[in-house]
Amino acid sequence: MDRQMFCFQCEQTAGCSGCTGKAGVCGKTADTAGLQDELTGALIGLARACANNERKETTDRIIIEGLFTTVTNVAFDDDSIKEMIDKVNTEKSKIVPGCAACASRCGNTDNYDMKRMWEADEDIRSLKSLILFGIRGMAAYAYHAMVLGYKDQEVNNFFYKALFTLAEDWGMEELLPVVMEVGKVNLSCMALLDKANTETFGTPTPVTVPLKVEKGPFIVVTGHDLYDLKLLLQQTEGKGINIYTHGEMLPAHAYPELKKFPHLKGNFGTAWQNQQKEFDHIPAPILYTTNCLMPPKASYKDRVFTTEMVSFPDVTHIDDEKDFTPVIEKALELGGYAEDTQFTGINGGTEVTTGFAHGTVLGVADKVIEAVKSGAIRHFFLVGGCDGVRKGRNYYTDFVKQTPDDTIILTLACGKYRFNDFDLGTIGGLPRIMDMGQCNDAYSAIKVAVALAEAFNCSVNELPLSMILSWYEQKAVCILLTLLHLGIKDIRLGPTLPAFISPNVLNYLAENYNIAPVTTPEEDLKTILG
């Protein structure tokens, strides 16, 4: 019998209700979706086995890798997912040896059947989905920190607790605290990643990044992983190959330890959902790291390379040894453009800026505070998050375009590509658009908001600050839960509300945090500014 899928973990899910049938909107097949569910069930079984048994040295990493593998647009290769399932089951057998062969099994460590969760009461399914999708996003952040040698045992311990919870027959009153704990622990996880990045690559500083590709061989790097980019930069030194970032890799240009490489030249293309158009027939290889990826088309699949948890069928994978020789050889073979080639952002701009992380913004906090007190800055808008294909996302472009001249736009993640090539001028020497980095850098926005609240002796909710957020996948879920954990209210979320949030859970969020869907730029600006 043909396998049928059910998946509603991302914003583009079919009909705003869920992808069913043989394939999802993201491109994964029903078989792939089923294997991801099987992997999740195995991770739950592993977590439950660890409840009363000692974990191995490798267990934490396997939990994080397994969760990261199930994030939207990471792994589309069934064989690699099967290998991950085997890895999880093998780890469990080390922790509870002989359990599977026990004559009177208790079932406590069995792999969980995800159908139990998907077919549960809609409110229970909704809360468990918030937990599961939240820890999937958090696992991505923990993974980035882990590859740089940083870990937080509180964060790692919570993955087990959350996975254990998913198999329990708990009600809403028991699940809600765990949902909010996802946000609390994710704050620690984002702080860990911020520390890992700044101590490894330096404190980001503002930089202007050209959108021009110079003639000659080049490589495009997409995804999020800064460490992979550094290794590639080191291995391409002196080889006459230029390196260009794409999508969420743009903020790499702001880190001192990365921008010191003269062949890190600029940014190619825009957000992740445009990859199939932007990568089609380019005379260069593309290195896929982490998530926010589109399945490669046949026209350029031969020049795509994956690494870390990323996998696509029939695509060359760079293993943990990180020898990028195949990528380098492909770049030299293809040769790049014969002449310098100018590209533009979606609004026609030829350059973008980045690097306004908390270290930079708080470094000029006195100027910011004075500008607010003098009335030069009336309001701050955090307009950021994930981009995607839904037509309603032009809301964010129009919103920024219509913001008054006495307002500042803070932005982060790939949603910024909707407007980051606008030139909106400055206020008191500060650019009106400040890119704070990747979605991973939401911690920067939180740090700035908390610092401003302290400076004005008020709560974050009393600041002249509004959050206009776009969401797409699971990292957006854990960030939203972190904002709720901090008590931040009046968030506007779009372009649609998550399909996995039931009416009762949505009512809870609306009543307690005043979360609301975006409407139109005109109406939302009028409501916010009066």
Side-chain angles (χ1 to χ4, degrees):
M1 184 173 68
D2 290 341
R3 194 197 293 255
Q4 299 292 302
M5 74 181 298
F6 172 74
C7 182
F8 60 175
Q9 72 175 2
C10 80
E11 190 274 334
Q12 69 180 9
T13 192
C16 296
S17 60
C19 291
T20 58
K22 295 184 178 181
V25 175
C26 70
K28 69 182 176 186
T29 66
D31 286 340
T32 302
L35 286 169
Q36 290 182 347
D37 273 357
E38 187 178 334
L39 173 55
T40 303
L43 290 167
I44 292 172
L46 175 58
R48 295 182 71 84
C50 293
N52 297 306
N53 298 279
E54 186 175 354
R55 311 199 303 241
K56 303 297 182 182
E57 186 177 341
T58 52
T59 313
D60 288 355
R61 184 181 185 98
I62 289 172
I63 288 282
I64 292 170
E65 287 180 346
L67 284 169
F68 193 6
T69 298
T70 61
V71 170
T72 300
N73 291 8
V74 172
F76 286 75
D77 181 60
D78 291 355
D79 289 339
S80 68
I81 301 174
K82 290 174 184 176
E83 289 176 8
M84 192 72 232
I85 294 169
D86 290 342
K87 194 174 183 180
V88 172
N89 287 330
T90 299
E91 188 74 5
K92 186 174 72 172
S93 68
K94 294 176 183 176
I95 292 170
V96 283
C99 181
C102 178
S104 54
R105 295 178 61 192
C106 62
N108 290 337
T109 64
D110 287 354
N111 289 357
Y112 183 71
D113 183 355
M114 291 299 292
K115 285 185 178 180
R116 288 177 55 193
M117 180 170 151
W118 303 141
E119 296 174 358
D121 169 82
E122 67 171 356
D123 293 331
I124 301 304
R125 182 179 71 172
S126 181
L127 292 174
K128 286 190 174 184
S129 294
L130 280 167
I131 295 169
L132 175 59
F133 302 158
I135 62 171
R136 283 176 174 175
M138 186 164 65
Y141 298 148
Y143 183 88
H144 292 308
M146 182 175 64
V147 297
L148 295 176
Y150 290 73
K151 64 180 181 179
D152 182 325
Q153 204 53 51
E154 175 204 7
V155 173
N156 290 348
N157 289 343
F158 182 71
F159 287 125
Y160 296 87
K161 176 180 179 179
L163 286 166
F164 185 96
T165 298
L166 296 177
E168 292 293 287
D169 294 325
W170 289 357
M172 290 185 68
E173 290 185 1
E174 296 163 300
L175 290 171
L176 265 172
V178 183
V179 171
M180 300 312 296
E181 193 174 357
V182 175
K184 174 179 178 290
V185 177
N186 185 59
L187 181 61
S188 298
C189 191
M190 290 195 296
L192 175 71
L193 179 57
D194 180 79
K195 179 181 180 181
N197 283 338
T198 54
E199 291 186 358
T200 304
F201 305 113
T203 300
T205 56
V207 61
T208 299
V209 183
L211 304 182
K212 179 175 69 174
V213 176
E214 297 181 10
K215 66 179 181 180
F218 68 98
I219 297 170
V220 174
V221 184
T222 191
H224 297 76
D225 201 287
L226 300 176
Y227 186 59
D228 283 331
L229 175 61
K230 182 179 181 180
L231 294 177
L232 181 64
L233 287 166
Q234 290 173 336
Q235 293 182 35
T236 49
E237 277 191 290
K239 291 183 166 60
I241 299 173
N242 291 327
I243 307 298
Y244 294 86
T245 57
H246 177 275
E248 285 272 60
M249 292 301 296
L250 168 63
H253 293 272
Y255 287 93
E257 290 301 308
L258 297 176
K259 67 181 182 181
K260 72 180 183 181
F261 290 93
H263 58 302
L264 179 60
K265 289 290 187 176
N267 192 70
F268 172 86
T270 54
W272 69 273
Q273 77 276 4
N274 298 321
Q275 288 175 2
Q276 292 184 332
K277 176 178 67 177
E278 293 174 347
F279 293 165
D280 199 21
H281 302 299
I282 67 168
I286 310 105
L287 177 64
Y288 282 26
T289 75
T290 68
N291 62 313
C292 291
L293 306 169
M294 291 287 285
K297 295 167 61 177
S299 59
Y300 62 88
K301 181 181 277 191
D302 66 323
R303 62 202 65 185
V304 170
F305 298 82
T306 61
T307 190
E308 300 293 348
M309 308 316 299
V310 182
S311 61
F312 289 96
D314 304 317
V315 168
T316 301
H317 188 77
I318 305 298
D319 62 22
D320 291 344
E321 296 299 316
K322 297 297 182 183
D323 180 358
F324 290 112
T325 298
V327 191
I328 293 169
E329 291 177 344
K330 180 63 73 171
L332 295 171
E333 172 194 333
L334 294 171
Y337 293 109
E339 301 293 339
D340 291 355
T341 304
Q342 181 68 63
F343 294 92
T344 66
I346 66 170
N347 301 294
T350 58
E351 60 185 23
V352 293
T353 59
T354 191
F356 292 92
H358 63 87
T360 293
V361 177
L362 295 181
V364 294
D366 55 339
K367 292 183 179 179
V368 175
I369 293 167
E370 180 56 35
V372 174
K373 288 181 176 179
S374 69
I377 297 177
R378 179 174 28 152
H379 207 86
F380 295 89
F381 295 101
L382 175 59
V383 185
C386 312
D387 205 0
V389 297
R390 201 179 297 275
K391 290 183 179 179
R393 289 181 179 271
N394 64 335
Y395 165 93
Y396 298 93
T397 309
D398 296 338
F399 185 95
V400 169
K401 192 184 299 183
Q402 294 179 40
T403 53
D405 292 341
D406 57 357
T407 61
I408 292 283
I409 311 299
L410 304 175
T411 189
L412 50 81
C414 58
K416 63 176 165 272
Y417 280 104
R418 293 278 171 177
F419 51 81
N420 69 337
D421 61 328
F422 279 144
D423 181 3
L424 297 186
T426 61
I427 299 177
L430 301 171
R432 285 197 55 223
I433 296 180
M434 298 187 193
D435 175 20
M436 309 188 86
Q438 299 179 337
C439 67
N440 308 8
D441 297 310
Y443 182 71
S444 273
I446 291 170
K447 287 272 287 185
V448 169
V450 171
L452 288 175
E454 291 175 354
F456 288 106
N457 193 28
C458 66
S459 71
V460 171
N461 292 317
E462 294 172 311
L463 286 171
L465 168 68
S466 299
M467 297 192 179
I468 317 296
L469 305 181
S470 56
W471 82 282
Y472 177 75
E473 42 90 337
Q474 295 75 64
K475 288 189 283 186
V477 175
C478 63
I479 291 171
L480 176 63
L481 294 177
T482 293
L483 296 175
L484 300 184
H485 157 71
L486 293 169
I488 295 174
K489 298 183 178 181
D490 300 314
I491 297 169
R492 284 169 169 77
L493 186 64
T496 63
L497 294 176
F500 52 82
I501 295 184
S502 68
N504 286 335
V505 173
L506 180 59
N507 287 338
Y508 172 85
L509 297 177
E511 290 173 4
N512 289 274
Y513 300 97
N514 202 27
I515 285 183
V518 297
T519 58
T520 66
E522 295 81 5
E523 291 177 5
D524 288 343
L525 280 167
K526 183 178 179 180
T527 300
I528 293 167
L529 297 176

